[in-house]
Amino acid sequence: MRTSASVPAGPAVPAAESSRGVAAATPGSAAPVPRRRRGAGPILGLAPFALYILLFLVVPTVIAVFSGFFTSTGAFTLDNLAALGDPVVLETFGSSFWVSLVTAAGGALIGALACLALASFPAESRLRTFVDAVSGVLAQFGGVMLAFAFIATIGTQGLITVALRDVFGLDIFAGGMWLYQVPGLILPYLYFQVPLMILTFMPALSGLKASWVEANATLGGTSLNFWRRVGIPVLAPAFAGGFLLLFANAFSAYATAAALISQGAQIVPLQIRAALISDTVLGRENLAGALAFGMIIVMIVLMIAYSALQARTQRWQR
């Protein structure tokens, strides 16, 4: 007859520890996760950034929006919002939408094609590093400097304008001074829209896994099948998100347009400037708040759509 060997008794285990061990060993039961106390360090580290956002973004936005609901004497009114239906204001919004749509579409398309051309190079290559660095600089190159650069090159007496007129007899301003009107904003805006699209779209394009290409080839698929069934559906949210980001960037741009268009208020940011400083709308300074309110509504819709597309893009990048 077999007898069980005696096992030396170990240290006594408390009942609570024993019950936790049994619960952890029971199939289907989850072991309790110890809670970690978070100190005040991360919160204090975010304090300077939160203060910056509060002072330079939240407070000016609140002041701009609420000023549209009051008169210059401080009385509550809805007349400023009613002015958003004025044909001149609607035309101004239409011009802003038009130039934003054209430059966003052009910048998204050119930037996506540039990313496709760069995708065959390794991420550590000199060309990719150079393009990333230049794109990071040019995406932020705007305002008066950019306007002056275009005036010096293709202005009425610009270097390229004079060369084309004297050498080839070609006058690019024969049909009018388009550079100093809304159509003239397309080229300067594309100057910073394309680099911004490269910075936005390249990470999504780099996220395409080589295993997907190999799986497509193993199943007998062609390159056309891969892009039609895998590449384009996967990259479509990222491309649409980049387009919305470029649209918002052009819709809110001010300094470049202010330097080029010296007369008239042909887009919404210039209309806001006119409401603040123009002598023709004296006493209607709070109209600028109503115009800002309209711009903020447009930007909120764009950012919500952009965030939704970004969340969808990140699902397959994890």
Side-chain angles (χ1 to χ4, degrees), residues 107-108 111-112 115 193-202 239 242-243 246:
C115 291
Q193 294 282 63
V194 173
L196 181 60
M197 184 61 182
I198 292 177
L199 295 176
T200 304
F201 191 67
M202 181 59 76
F239 181 84
F243 170 81
L246 266 60

Side-chain angles (χ1 to χ4, degrees), residues 156-180:
T156 53
Q157 298 298 324
L159 180 64
I160 296 179
T161 303
V162 173
L164 291 176
R165 184 173 61 240
D166 295 344
V167 178
F168 301 98
L170 178 63
D171 185 8
I172 62 176
F173 292 105
M177 298 298 176
W178 51 268
L179 181 63
Y180 308 103

Side-chain angles (χ1 to χ4, degrees), residues 71-131:
T71 63
S72 57
T73 59
F76 180 81
T77 181
L78 295 178
D79 292 342
N80 294 325
L81 292 182
L84 293 177
D86 186 88
V88 176
V89 175
L90 291 178
E91 183 179 358
T92 303
F93 270 93
S95 298
S96 293
F97 275 107
W98 178 80
V99 71
S100 301
L101 181 63
V102 171
T103 57
L109 182 59
I110 298 174
L113 292 177
C115 291
L116 288 174
L118 293 170
S120 57
F121 293 88
E124 299 80 11
S125 63
R126 292 183 178 180
L127 180 61
R128 285 281 296 271
T129 304
F130 175 77
V131 172

Side-chain angles (χ1 to χ4, degrees), residues 15-315:
E17 296 290 339
S18 176
S19 62
R20 284 200 296 266
V22 173
T26 303
S29 63
V33 179
R35 295 182 179 179
R36 297 181 179 179
R37 295 183 178 179
R38 296 183 178 180
I43 299 178
L44 293 178
L46 289 176
F49 178 72
L51 182 62
Y52 172 82
I53 293 296
L54 178 65
L55 293 179
F56 295 98
L57 182 61
V58 177
V59 173
T61 301
V62 172
I63 293 176
V65 170
F66 279 92
S67 65
F69 293 90
F70 295 92
T71 63
S72 57
T73 59
F76 180 81
T77 181
L78 295 178
D79 292 342
N80 294 325
L81 292 182
L84 293 177
D86 186 88
V88 176
V89 175
L90 291 178
E91 183 179 358
T92 303
F93 270 93
S95 298
S96 293
F97 275 107
W98 178 80
V99 71
S100 301
L101 181 63
V102 171
T103 57
L109 182 59
I110 298 174
L113 292 177
C115 291
L116 288 174
L118 293 170
S120 57
F121 293 88
E124 299 80 11
S125 63
R126 292 183 178 180
L127 180 61
R128 285 281 296 271
T129 304
F130 175 77
V131 172
D132 290 340
V134 171
S135 298
V137 174
L138 296 183
Q140 305 299 325
F141 185 78
V144 178
M145 295 185 297
L146 180 61
F148 174 77
F150 273 86
I151 292 174
T153 52
I154 61 173
T156 53
Q157 298 298 324
L159 180 64
I160 296 179
T161 303
V162 173
L164 291 176
R165 184 173 61 240
D166 295 344
V167 178
F168 301 98
L170 178 63
D171 185 8
I172 62 176
F173 292 105
M177 298 298 176
W178 51 268
L179 181 63
Y180 308 103
Q181 300 176 1
V182 173
L185 299 177
I186 295 178
L187 287 179
Y189 280 19
L190 286 177
Y191 193 86
F192 56 78
Q193 294 282 63
V194 173
L196 181 60
M197 184 61 182
I198 292 177
L199 295 176
T200 304
F201 191 67
M202 181 59 76
L205 186 61
S206 301
L208 290 178
K209 297 178 173 52
S211 58
W212 298 349
V213 181
E214 296 172 357
N216 174 74
T218 302
L219 296 175
T222 61
S223 299
L224 180 61
N225 289 333
F226 172 78
W227 285 107
R228 184 167 60 91
R229 297 180 180 273
V230 180
I232 293 179
V234 167
L235 294 176
F239 181 84
F243 170 81
L244 291 179
L245 182 63
L246 266 60
F247 187 96
N249 189 41
F251 189 77
S252 60
Y254 164 75
T256 303
L260 283 176
I261 303 178
S262 58
Q263 295 181 351
Q266 304 177 30
I267 60 175
V268 180
L270 300 185
Q271 185 75 30
I272 294 175
R273 179 189 65 177
L276 291 174
I277 66 174
S278 177
D279 295 335
T280 59
V281 288
L282 188 63
R284 296 292 303 276
E285 294 85 357
N286 287 6
L287 176 62
L291 295 172
F293 178 73
M295 288 192 67
I296 290 174
I297 295 298
V298 174
M299 297 297 291
I300 289 176
V301 173
L302 292 174
M303 290 299 99
I304 290 175
Y306 175 74
S307 299
L309 291 171
Q310 283 295 100
R312 186 173 180 180
T313 302
Q314 291 175 357
R315 292 179 183 176

